[in-house]
Amino acid sequence: MAPSTGAYIIARSLRDLGVAVIFGIVGIPVVEIAEEAINLGIKFVGFRNEQAASYAAGAYGYLTGKPGVCLVVGGPGILHAIPGVGNSSVNAFPFLLLAGSSETHLIYKGAFQELDAISFLTPHTKLAVRPATLDAIPNAVQNAYRTAWYGRPGPSFVDLPADLIQATDPSPADLKRASLVPPPPKPSAEETTLFKVSQLLKTAKSPLIVIGKGAAYARASDRINSFVTQSQIPFLPTPMGKGVLSDSHPLNAASARSTALRESDVVLLLGARLNWILHFGSPPKWNPSVKFIQIDISSDEFGKNAADPSLAIHGDIATVIPQLQAHLSTWRYKPDRLPFTSHLLAAKEKNLATAAEKAAVTTLPMTHSSALSAIERTLHSLSSPDDGRIVYVSEGANTMDISRSIFPVCYPRLRLDAGTHATMGVGMGYAIAAHMAYNGIGATPGEASVGYADAVGKPGRKKIVCLEGDSAFGFSGMEVETMARYGMDVLIFIVNNAGVYHGDADDENTWKELQNGTLGFGDAENGGKGLRSTSLSFGTQYEKMADMVGGLGLVASTPEEVENATRRGWNSGKPCVVNVIVGKGEGGKLEFGWQANASKARSAGVGEEGQEQRDGEEMREKDKGGRGSKL
């Protein structure tokens, strides 16, 4: 048997762990690892920037339920991949980062791309390890992989010195190999705690279930559906919890989010955290006396902010929910004589009417709502939401907020967005990850799951659709070339208002006057008026990003053009970028609508009903086939 190199041992260890895809960028010395991995049948997806590659690996881990792997060079490669480490940590994505490093004997001498990566990454990962010898590689890689996966998922790191990668072992048959890691244990709940929380639910006057992306990751959709069907408790999905239960479910309270938060008295949190997305569980958004029941794989979350740790259940959601359902037995929430559901229904109907008005606006330039509604109508004529054959990736403040409500999702893990860190720049990496998870090598067509069965739509390929703000697209737009190189027919809509949040002008002449003011060419008497800090170039031809790599680039400035471009892009069989021109939008104070508190709203002359409409999670909700007829 020929001697084995360190590069081969690393690649073989990954294959032995069942790794089918590696995301990254190669260079000295890790290119040898990538080549060995390709020779062993592992797909290597080469990116244009480590940041996007690291985002992709984390999202792939979330979608498949197993750690995503990213390979980068040392030094600057690690620094560029740090965003993916942080993003995976805060979102609880299983992620394994592998990186090269300087030769061991050159440490502290100013070696090529020298960086003490272990010290740098230890505070930000679950495990950071550097194998010292060739025979230590399999165990190091396996331990890092397992650590990223078990418990609360997150990032782990393996540092691989160049001399180890290039070293040879004359007796490869004696090396211990990595082995498949079984799926993480699925802890169950204590019976005493189950009894306590079940009694609390039974006595609630306004119970609510909040479904987070942790429930989607846990493959708990079928079991949560059974629980909600039996208990008849209304539910509210978080942005990436959408689809665990269908958006068309009659008990979905998303269109009455503010009312649901304000009036609920007992809340069951399923894989959702009481962070900024849920207003920390605090008034005025929440009822001051509300009680939270937390079910989470991570006990570190228990008791945070408004939560009571005595009501927390440490366990796997898919395991605990049937236990809780058994304790509730035949109990069912009957709100006939209680105002909670009537209030939800009233708020929902009002917000749906407001959203319908916004979507029906026919003025030009288009608004975000009218443009996105045109996309939605066309996509759903091509593929029904009930089929689950579209994966939505969305980022950009207005684009993400508005599209979240316009595009319904009927199955789990079919919507990805900026997540817990509100990270801009994830879109292209996430889209590539989704393509590889659902359509790529090692994936059953249309399926990306492990452990419990958890339907993600009808079998067959899925279309990856990106809904991008023009600012957000700028972070990683070059990855359109990556999509083209690997034959990924991703459909990308760039909602172009020439600005971050909002633009400065609706016509080129006005914008150029402002630009001249910024450049010092304008009239000094205009008070120095120029482009604001949120401004981007007017009329940027983003569609040419697709043209230059052999994809399809299209421009749309009317609803009819949007519909035609959507159909052409859907059927193109190649990456398609549609540059959707919308108006600059309002230039008011920049803030998250859902963070404006009630007292502030009242002081501005906005009552509770007005505050309800300002809520960024629900004000643009759109009725999809009788959604919410029961609430």
Side-chain angles (χ1 to χ4, degrees), residues 197-254:
V197 300
S198 65
Q199 294 303 112
L200 183 60
L201 283 170
K202 289 178 180 180
T203 59
K205 294 181 178 180
S206 307
L208 179 70
I209 300 170
V210 176
I211 301 174
K213 66 175 175 288
Y217 178 80
R219 275 62 182 169
S221 178
D222 291 344
R223 299 177 183 211
I224 294 173
N225 184 57
S226 175
F227 181 84
V228 170
T229 299
Q230 174 186 301
S231 68
Q232 291 295 291
I233 298 175
F235 70 90
L236 175 71
T238 65
M240 280 178 59
K242 282 168 65 71
V244 171
L245 298 184
S246 174
D247 279 348
S248 62
H249 196 289
L251 291 171
N252 185 359

Side-chain angles (χ1 to χ4, degrees), residues 283-301:
K285 286 291 187 178
W286 288 93
N287 176 353
S289 60
V290 65
K291 297 183 182 298
F292 293 101
I293 301 168
Q294 296 171 284
I295 301 180
D296 206 291
I297 196 68
S298 173
S299 59
D300 291 343
E301 293 298 321

